Amino acid sequence: MRATTIHAPFDMRVEDVPDALVQDPTDVVVRVLRACICGSDLWAYRGESARQPGQRIGHEFLGIVEEAGAAVSGFAAGDLVVAPFVWSDGTCDYCAEGLQTSCPRGGFWGSVGSDGGQGEAVRVPFADGTLVKLPAEAASDDHLLTALLALSDVMGTGHHAALGAGVVKGSTVAVVGDGAVGLCGVLAAKRLGAERIIALGRHTVRTDIARTFGATDVVAGRGEAAEAAVLELTGGQGAHAVIEAVGTEQSMRTAVAITRDGGSIGYVGVPHGSGTGLDLSVMFDRNIALRGGVAPVRAYIPELLPDVLDGTIDPSPVFDLTVGLDGVPGGYKAMDERTALKVLVKP
C-alpha cells in the first residue's frame, strides 16, 4: 500500500510501505476514505518534533473496515468507522473514566512501528475500544464525511477546550488561536450555550469562519493590543472562559491576561514554549483555573456525533484545501505557508 512518510524537516514522501494487516485478534484493518493534516503535524514537518526517517505520519482518519480479527465483536468488514487520534483498549481504569489518552496500552497513530492516518489503510489495535461506528449511508455523502472526519480530532479537541474553560450557558468566552482547533472551540462554545464569543485572530478568512461558527466579536491584534481590546469589550473584566489553542508563550500570556478573575482557561494548544507564559502568582491572586491537555476525543465522539449527523454542528468549513494522497507533501507546504487552514486528504 501507499502511505505518507517523513524523512527530514520539509521532506515528506508518499511511498510504498508494507500492507496494513491484522496482527492481533483485537485488530481491524481500515481502508481510509478521508484523512487530513493537523496543525500539530507541522511541528514534525518543521523539525521541531523529532521523527525517525521513514516514520509514518497522520492521526485523523475515517474509513471502511476491510478485515476484523477473531476477537473483535463490535465491527465487521464493510462497517464505516471513525478513529480518534489515539487508540485505547477500552478496558482499563482510564478508559472507564473517559481518559483514553492515558490508556497504558494506547498509542498515537504515526508513532514508531504504527500506521499513520495519511495512507491507504491503517491497522487499528484494540478496535472495540477505539473505533466508533458511523451510519453506512454517510459513506455516500461527501459533505457529511468531511464533517464527521473532524470528530477524529479537531472538533473533540475544541470541545475539550470549551469544557476545560468552563463554558456554560450565558457565559462570555474568548478564543486564542484561529487554527482549526480554535475555530472548533468557537463552535463548541456556541453549542454549549455561550452568549458572547470573542475570537482572536488576524486572518480574515479564518475569522469569517469563526463568525459563521458563532463568534460575536473578532479581535485582530496580538499581545498587549489584543489584551486591551478584549478587556474593552468586556468592561475591563475579561472573559469567564478562555480557550487557548496555540501553545506558545505569547498565547498563554494572552490567555491569562484576558481571563476574568475567577474564570478558567481551557488549554489544548500543543505546548512549544508556553510553560514560560504561566505566572502562577498572577493566577493565584486572580483565582484563575487552568484545565486541559490532550483531548480524550474517544470519550466525546458519542456525544458530538448526533449533532454532526443532524447538522446541529458542521465543522467541515475548517477544511479549505483537498488533495489526493500524492498531494499530501504539497498540503504540508500549504499549511506551513498559511495558504491553507486544514488540508483534507482523499486517498
Side-chain angles (χ1 to χ4, degrees):
M1 71 176 198
R2 302 172 71 243
T4 306
T5 56
I6 181 168
H7 293 261
F10 308 104
D11 184 2
M12 311 299 297
R13 306 177 194 175
V14 179
E15 301 181 304
D16 289 330
V17 300
D19 287 341
L21 299 171
V22 169
Q23 298 178 15
D24 297 314
T26 54
D27 293 349
V28 305
V29 171
V30 172
R31 173 170 54 87
V32 177
L33 294 182
R34 297 288 185 277
C36 55
I37 301 173
C38 183
S40 63
D41 291 332
L42 295 180
W43 301 120
Y45 178 71
R46 294 166 179 159
E48 298 181 40
S49 296
R51 293 292 188 275
Q52 294 183 4
Q55 189 172 335
R56 308 286 180 82
I57 195 165
H59 54 262
E60 300 158 282
F61 65 94
L62 58 74
I64 302 289
V65 174
E66 292 284 282
E67 182 183 2
V72 175
S73 60
F75 303 96
D79 286 342
L80 179 66
V81 295
V82 62
F85 64 82
V86 171
W87 73 77
S88 52
D89 64 17
T91 62
C92 72
D93 289 344
Y94 288 113
C95 287
E97 295 165 5
L99 194 63
Q100 290 89 345
T101 48
S102 291
C103 177
R105 296 199 288 175
F108 291 80
W109 312 113
S111 57
V112 175
S114 73
D115 293 328
Q118 294 162 18
E120 291 182 324
V122 176
R123 168 186 168 252
V124 178
F126 304 113
D128 285 331
T130 300
L131 299 173
V132 176
K133 190 180 296 186
L134 302 173
E137 57 270 22
S140 59
D141 187 330
D142 186 70
H143 182 89
L144 180 57
L145 273 185
T146 301
L148 290 167
L149 177 62
L151 294 176
S152 66
D153 186 346
V154 287
M155 189 62 232
T157 298
H159 180 67
H160 186 58
L163 293 179
V167 177
V168 294
K169 186 176 182 179
S171 56
T172 294
V173 182
V175 180
V176 182
D178 60 2
V181 170
L183 294 175
C184 285
V186 172
L187 191 57
K190 178 68 174 178
R191 177 180 176 274
L192 291 171
E195 181 176 325
R196 192 173 194 186
I197 303 172
I198 304 167
L200 281 68
R202 296 180 299 163
H203 303 86
T204 304
V205 171
R206 300 182 179 197
T207 54
D208 284 348
I209 296 173
R211 290 189 185 276
T212 300
F213 282 0
T216 55
D217 303 271
V218 169
V219 169
R222 292 184 70 181
E224 293 182 357
E227 295 164 13
V230 173
L231 291 176
E232 182 177 356
L233 287 169
T234 57
Q237 292 187 341
H240 300 99
V242 175
I243 290 173
E244 193 286 313
V246 182
T248 63
E249 176 181 351
Q250 182 182 66
S251 64
M252 188 59 81
R253 287 189 184 279
T254 297
V256 172
I258 64 176
T259 303
R260 186 179 187 272
D261 288 14
S264 300
I265 299 169
Y267 72 108
V268 292
V270 177
H272 39 287
S274 58
T276 52
L278 286 172
D279 187 332
L280 292 182
S281 63
V282 170
M283 297 179 70
F284 181 87
D285 291 344
R286 296 177 52 212
N287 281 282
I288 293 175
L290 180 67
R291 295 188 296 269
V294 184
V297 299
R298 177 61 182 82
Y300 300 139
I301 292 174
E303 175 185 350
L304 298 172
L305 177 57
D307 284 0
V308 175
L309 290 174
D310 69 13
T312 300
I313 57 174
D314 178 11
S316 65
V318 302
F319 299 100
D320 61 345
L321 176 63
T322 300
V323 299
L325 196 54
D326 286 332
V328 169
Y332 273 88
K333 186 173 188 293
M335 285 182 62
D336 182 50
E337 295 176 350
R338 301 184 77 86
T339 58
L341 168 60
K342 189 169 181 65
V343 174
L344 178 70
V345 181
K346 295 183 177 181

